[in-house]
Amino acid sequence: MSDSSPSDRALRALADSIGQALPRQSADGADDDVPVAATVVIVRDGAGGPEVLMIERPDRGSFAGAWVFPGGKLDPADGDAADETAAARRAGARETREETGLHLDADALVLLSRWNPPPGIERRIRTWFFVAGDPGGEQALAPDEVITAEWVRPAAMLTRHARAEVTLYPPTWVTLHHLADHPDADAMIAAARMGGIPRFETVARRGADGPMLLWHGDAEYDGDAAAEDAASRHRLEIASLPWIYTRTG
């Protein structure tokens, strides 16, 4: 991986931000000062298996040059922030339409996960992830927000990232990892309906091999794990490619 590759630049940015991270407090998950965003994983069945729609961001602004799912920040038109989930659904449908031209029913979006960034880092955004079936229709990409769009199998995109061919950020990477083993699009949506709402309250640490992100269930999440939980893991190691996701229990 060369120093000029997009994935390397993204990795350096992540590593730098981890150095600014603070211990997580109980109120961090609902911090009103953190912007809120929504993103939608649109799924369909392709010839080689289930696929997700991904878009490439321009090489500027937030997530510069990264491959992401359609989405963006909530705005006042999305509704009362007191009902953040409903507002996020509307924002996900709206942003998908604005960025790709595809029309989704906001009420039909299935909640997939919620991501809270580590406290203290720059560009903190609390993001709701939803999943929806392909609504069909012709794409109309927003030229100022999208370079290109591609239907891709989750495992194939992870392989491209491991080869430093594309830029992914951790929530996108982990989402692709979780979707990669489903046999078809219906199974992806059904798993989201039945699996509860995973809440990724992220802690950033620098381990022996470099930066890593931790979530509930990892022995080092609170920094004072009991001895009987010492082998428990729920983390993403991002020191080098390929990234390594581990979840035990």
Side-chain angles (χ1 to χ4, degrees), residues 19 27 29 47 55 64 79-80 86 96 105 108-109 113 120 151 161 181 186 189 194 198 208 219 236:
I55 59 176
D80 186 356
T96 298
D105 178 357
L109 301 185
S113 58
W151 289 99
H161 178 262
D181 291 332
D186 285 345
I189 297 172
M194 299 174 59
L236 181 65

Side-chain angles (χ1 to χ4, degrees), residues 112-201:
L112 189 62
S113 58
R114 189 183 76 167
W115 291 79
N116 274 309
I121 68 168
E122 293 183 320
R123 297 180 180 176
R124 297 178 67 206
I125 302 174
R126 181 165 63 251
T127 306
W128 296 82
F129 277 61
F130 299 92
V131 62
D134 176 20
E138 185 176 352
Q139 293 181 22
L141 304 182
D144 56 337
E145 298 186 72
V146 181
I147 297 298
T148 189
E150 184 176 339
W151 289 99
V152 61
R153 297 192 67 184
M157 183 58 79
L158 292 175
T159 297
R160 288 162 65 179
H161 178 262
R163 294 172 178 166
E165 296 171 0
V166 297
T167 298
L168 298 175
Y169 279 82
T172 307
W173 192 102
V174 173
T175 299
L176 289 167
H177 176 83
H178 286 159
L179 293 174
D181 291 332
H182 290 296
D184 53 43
D186 285 345
M188 291 177 172
I189 297 172
R193 291 188 188 279
M194 299 174 59
I197 306 171
R199 297 176 183 265
F200 290 83
E201 309 285 344

Side-chain angles (χ1 to χ4, degrees), residues 14-35:
L14 286 167
D16 291 344
S17 68
I18 284 174
Q20 304 163 7
L22 300 173
R24 180 168 284 283
Q25 306 296 323
S26 59
D28 288 330
D31 188 344
D32 290 337
D33 292 330
V34 176

Side-chain angles (χ1 to χ4, degrees), residues 24-105:
R24 180 168 284 283
Q25 306 296 323
S26 59
D28 288 330
D31 188 344
D32 290 337
D33 292 330
V34 176
V36 180
T39 192
V40 183
V41 185
I42 304 175
V43 301
R44 74 174 189 184
D45 289 320
E51 300 172 332
V52 298
L53 181 66
M54 302 198 69
I55 59 176
E56 183 182 12
R57 292 293 188 203
D59 196 15
R60 54 179 166 74
S62 299
F63 306 106
W67 284 81
V68 299
F69 306 112
K73 293 180 182 178
L74 278 61
D75 69 24
D78 298 318
D80 186 356
D83 189 350
E84 191 173 287
T85 308
R89 276 194 171 88
R90 288 188 285 271
R94 174 183 54 77
E95 288 283 346
T96 298
R97 182 180 67 255
E98 293 173 357
E99 293 181 341
T100 70
L102 300 180
H103 291 258
L104 297 171
D105 178 357

